[in-house]
Amino acid sequence: MRISLFFWLIIFLLGVLVGDRNGAPGWASRISAGAFTAVERWFGKLDEPIPNAADAVEDVSADASITNESLDENAPDNSQLRINEAGLEIIKESEGLELEAYNLYGQWLIGYGHARTAEPGMTITEAEAERLLREDVAYSENAVRELVVVPINENQFSALVSLAYNLGSTRFSNSSVLELLNNGDYQGAADAFIFHDRARINGELQSIPHLTERRAKERELFLRPVN
């Protein structure tokens, strides 16, 4: 800034000494006029009071708090939610524990409905089944956090994770439960759980009794108040 001020002072002095009356060319007159303006602006700032450091800090803090408040209002914070024991129990009861791989409707499963690495002839221990369940639940938790755009509580989150675990992330993303929830219709989302109780058998979608029972449990958990 000092170098710039020094430069404009030189131009300013030349403009004073030469001036239009001495036949300075137009470009020189424009430069000297700019110098007059720049010098006037800089010297004018010398009369301005220096802001108090404490005031400046308070102003920054105020702006930051406003920004944070607006972020909190516009974006739900579901990042800290984890599936609770009630949600895990629904998954365990509904999926059942199988330590040998089995085929269900053309898909190989093992443990508590684990499909990602299941293959014919595979066997695992109960501890391995628990580990696979935790890993799979983590995928479903991430899917729910990413896809839900409204605030939800622990019970709602856990019910949604159980649903996503059963449907898979892709089908969950296209579910009527998620659509209604993201539109702010919490009751409608709860009631829509029951519509996802069907599976394709021999090319035909049919209601499956144990899925109907599972959806009812997930709906009840979704609507259950958090203590």
Side-chain angles (χ1 to χ4, degrees):
M1 178 176 174
R2 291 180 178 178
I3 295 175
S4 299
L5 179 58
F6 181 71
F7 170 77
W8 285 114
L9 281 173
I10 293 175
I11 299 298
F12 171 75
L13 292 174
L14 288 174
V16 172
L17 294 175
V18 178
D20 290 336
R21 65 177 182 274
N22 291 330
W27 61 265
S29 297
R30 287 192 294 273
I31 292 177
S32 62
F36 275 86
T37 302
V39 171
E40 182 180 10
R41 184 173 62 251
W42 270 314
F43 279 99
K45 289 182 178 180
L46 296 178
D47 294 329
E48 296 178 0
I50 298 175
N52 183 281
D55 293 340
V57 172
E58 289 177 2
D59 290 341
V60 172
S61 300
D63 291 340
S65 64
I66 292 172
T67 302
N68 291 336
E69 287 176 2
S70 62
L71 287 175
D72 291 341
E73 291 173 357
N74 297 327
D77 185 13
N78 299 324
S79 61
Q80 302 304 314
L81 292 174
R82 299 289 184 275
I83 190 170
N84 56 23
E85 287 302 318
L88 278 175
E89 193 60 31
I90 291 175
I91 294 176
K92 287 183 175 182
E93 287 181 356
S94 301
E95 299 291 347
L97 176 60
E98 296 289 343
L99 301 181
E100 295 183 7
Y102 62 100
N103 191 288
L104 181 65
Y105 307 130
Q107 184 177 37
W108 285 97
L109 303 170
I110 199 168
Y112 295 103
H114 172 78
R116 185 164 42 88
T117 61
E119 56 185 19
M122 183 178 181
T123 61
I124 58 174
T125 66
E126 189 170 341
E128 288 172 329
E130 184 76 20
R131 176 180 58 81
L132 290 173
L133 173 62
R134 295 288 178 173
E135 290 178 0
D136 290 343
V137 163
Y139 282 103
S140 299
E141 286 177 324
N142 287 335
V144 172
R145 291 191 201 100
E146 292 174 2
L147 293 169
V148 173
V149 298
V150 295
I152 52 177
N153 62 37
E154 181 184 289
N155 285 339
Q156 292 167 336
F157 178 81
S158 299
L160 292 168
V161 170
S162 177
L163 179 64
Y165 184 91
N166 185 227
L167 297 182
S169 299
T170 301
R171 287 179 62 197
F172 174 72
S173 68
N174 295 317
S175 69
S176 55
V177 173
L178 181 65
E179 181 181 3
L180 289 165
L181 178 61
N182 281 340
N183 285 331
D185 186 356
Y186 289 76
Q187 184 62 53
D191 295 338
F193 271 86
I194 196 62
F195 298 134
H196 299 282
D197 68 339
R198 296 178 295 171
R200 192 172 296 278
I201 302 175
N202 298 323
E204 182 181 349
L205 280 176
Q206 300 180 22
S207 240
I208 309 299
H210 82 268
L211 286 182
T212 304
E213 183 181 353
R214 176 173 181 164
R215 296 291 96 90
K217 291 178 180 178
E218 291 166 347
R219 178 184 181 277
E220 187 277 328
L221 178 59
F222 185 89
L223 292 172
R224 187 187 305 171
V226 175
N227 296 329

